[in-house]
Amino acid sequence: MLSLEPRSINVDGGLATISKPAKSIGVIWLIAAVALASVVTLSGLLRGDAVATNAAVVNILRLDALALAPSGTGLRSPQGAHPAVVTTHAPSVPNTTSARLPATGTDR
Amino acid sequence: MKGSTLHSMLTWAMRDLARRPGEAVLTGLVVCALVTVTATTLLLVEAWTTTATTLIEEGPSLVVRRVTSGGWAPIPVDEAVAAAASVVGVTDAQPRIRGVVTAPEGPITVMGVTPSQAANLEVAGITLPGPGEIILGAGVPASTTEPLLELLGSTHMKFRIATLLDDAVSLTLHDVALLNVADARALLGLAPNEASDLAVTVFHEAEEEAILPDLTAAFPFPVRITTRGEAAGAAVAGLSRDGGLAMLLLVPATLAMILLLISALRGWNGSRREIGLYKSFGWTTGDLVRLSLFKSLATGIPGVLTGLAAAWGLVLWPGTTWPGALLLGWQTPPPPLFLTPGGATVVLLTVAGLVLIPWVLASMVPAVKSALADPDDLVRGGEQ
């Protein structure tokens, strides 16, 4: 049972007896370090190479849009019927390049 | 300091901590909680940015879209490909058949897949949809009992749900429906020789901006061109908006950190008598500073390591859903995010330093403040 009250120091055996808590805390350090290393390693192993797979999909389908989130972080147009052409100024101006980013937003 | 003395000091510090095990454990838990909250937020932002950038870099350099006075217009494939190919620096130009249509549960993106694309996509478990078939991304809501999905584009069409895409490709095809090219054209109202837009690849990244005037002039109709840099900028801008809200989580964490530091600083009042005793026995200020250092590290380091492990698991463990929903408003299982070793290391070290360094320094203040104090005053509790 843990207590917030301080205990008395037992100095009878000198430093030989007080090495035990040092070992205990060393074990705690070790456990914490192993926990971090395990989580990092296992999460990487279990996730596999999903990003490489998705990168291949992007490359093959020539995607310029991400479907990461319905909250609008993707790049697809919320305009409706057709892909992201966002008319930010008179489109009749011939041969204009995009001066503004395509609007982001949900498409659902 | 000799090694044996250092070892003695270390063991003494550990024993001193063991006198108040409850306090030591609670302090470690507070540090752990602080690190978990802070690192979760920062890791999520870093992972999203890295993942989005990695994927966008795999996409086309430029996307060319034809515009008219009415807005979007289909692009004639042969004419557009020839125009793009005539520009020096362009290495590839591929028409894309894609658009947004209305599904029963809301708008979705449809994309036409060519046989050559499908052959290359077999590694991702994607096959060529047959005529009348549709392949749905994991985020597309569809009835589990109804085998047909009705979509409204330029016309009503019904498709048989052939299969659902694996979660592994949800990063890019989360709410996308894949169709046979002919079906996609019919649904989007495109003629057989028309495409939605043109994906252009240039030889070198630096040419993306430089080639724009020539590429624009090469087309016999008005076009709007989006560069990869703009696409990446839009992705990061979206994250900045949502991530800024997520950063609000850091406010209570900062408050908790301040309270922890105040607690450590106020420890001076409680430890004054002990410090006086140590100094009476001949301990120097340096010894006391080292003692405080060892004690604070003994509780702080396990707390930091455990907190970082928890944050990493919350953000990057497969199947973890709640951080994305809470921080970025994701309503569906988040895609597997990606971190570069360098970026992850910077985030982990930053968080560890932000919490551990102030905590260690605050813990050493009582020992430093005792440098000029009279041990007798300290033991008697008098003014220093």
Side-chain angles (χ1 to χ4, degrees), chain B residues 15-357:
Chain B
R15 186 65 184 90
D16 200 25
L17 271 182
R19 289 175 59 213
R20 299 178 177 87
E23 188 180 310
V25 169
L26 284 180
T27 304
L29 288 177
V30 169
V31 172
C32 174
L34 264 175
V35 170
T36 301
V37 171
T38 312
T40 298
T41 308
L42 295 181
L43 273 178
L44 192 60
V45 172
E46 173 71 17
W48 200 99
T49 306
T50 306
T51 304
T53 306
T54 302
L55 293 181
I56 287 173
E57 285 175 354
E58 289 293 327
S61 310
L62 305 163
V63 174
V64 180
R65 297 174 180 108
R66 182 181 182 186
V67 291
T68 65
S69 57
W72 176 90
I75 198 165
V77 172
D78 296 336
E79 198 176 353
V81 170
S86 68
V87 178
V88 176
V90 171
T91 58
D92 183 48
Q94 288 186 26
R96 303 191 303 183
I97 316 296
R98 60 196 298 265
V100 181
V101 298
T102 304
E105 302 291 335
I108 63 172
T109 300
V110 295
M111 175 164 289
V113 182
T114 65
S116 61
Q117 286 176 329
N120 292 325
L121 285 171
E122 282 181 1
V123 292
I126 300 173
T127 55
L128 179 67
E133 287 185 343
I134 191 168
I135 298 176
L136 298 180
V140 178
S143 169
T144 54
T145 55
E146 178 59 55
L148 295 178
L149 181 68
E150 184 173 2
L151 299 178
L152 172 61
S154 65
T155 180
H156 275 282
M157 291 183 75
K158 284 187 176 180
F159 297 94
R160 188 179 68 80
I161 301 173
T163 182
L164 297 178
L165 293 174
D166 193 80
D167 279 344
V169 293
S170 64
L171 202 54
T172 46
L173 300 176
H174 169 75
D175 53 357
V176 171
L178 301 180
L179 293 172
N180 190 287
V181 168
D183 286 344
R185 278 200 168 103
L187 182 63
L188 296 172
L190 299 172
N193 63 338
E194 289 179 336
S196 305
D197 51 30
L198 197 66
V200 174
T201 305
V202 298
F203 181 72
H204 193 273
E205 185 180 350
E207 294 176 332
E208 287 173 12
E209 296 285 345
I211 207 173
L212 286 181
D214 291 342
L215 189 60
T216 306
F219 290 95
F221 40 77
V223 295
R224 182 178 300 279
I225 302 175
T226 306
T227 66
R228 181 157 42 194
E230 288 174 333
V236 173
L239 174 70
S240 300
R241 183 189 61 223
D242 298 329
L245 295 175
M247 289 293 177
L248 289 177
L249 269 179
L250 297 183
V251 175
T254 307
L255 181 62
M257 185 71 211
I258 292 172
L259 292 176
L260 185 65
L261 296 182
I262 291 175
S263 169
L265 292 171
R266 287 180 63 85
W268 158 250
N269 295 326
S271 60
R272 185 179 298 182
R273 189 180 300 274
E274 280 184 35
I275 290 176
L277 279 173
Y278 284 130
K279 297 197 84 165
S280 302
F281 289 140
W283 287 47
T284 65
T285 302
D287 293 334
L288 293 172
V289 167
R290 276 185 284 275
L291 182 67
S292 303
L293 176 69
F294 292 147
K295 285 169 62 179
S296 56
L297 286 178
T299 53
I301 287 181
V304 166
L305 292 176
T306 313
L308 291 178
W312 189 284
L314 287 174
V315 175
L316 295 166
W317 194 264
T320 302
T321 58
W322 73 266
L326 179 69
L327 297 175
L328 294 177
W330 288 338
Q331 299 300 317
T332 53
L337 297 177
F338 169 72
L339 270 173
T340 58
T345 305
V346 168
V347 169
L348 296 183
L349 289 180
T350 300
V351 174
L354 280 176
V355 175
L356 202 55
I357 292 174

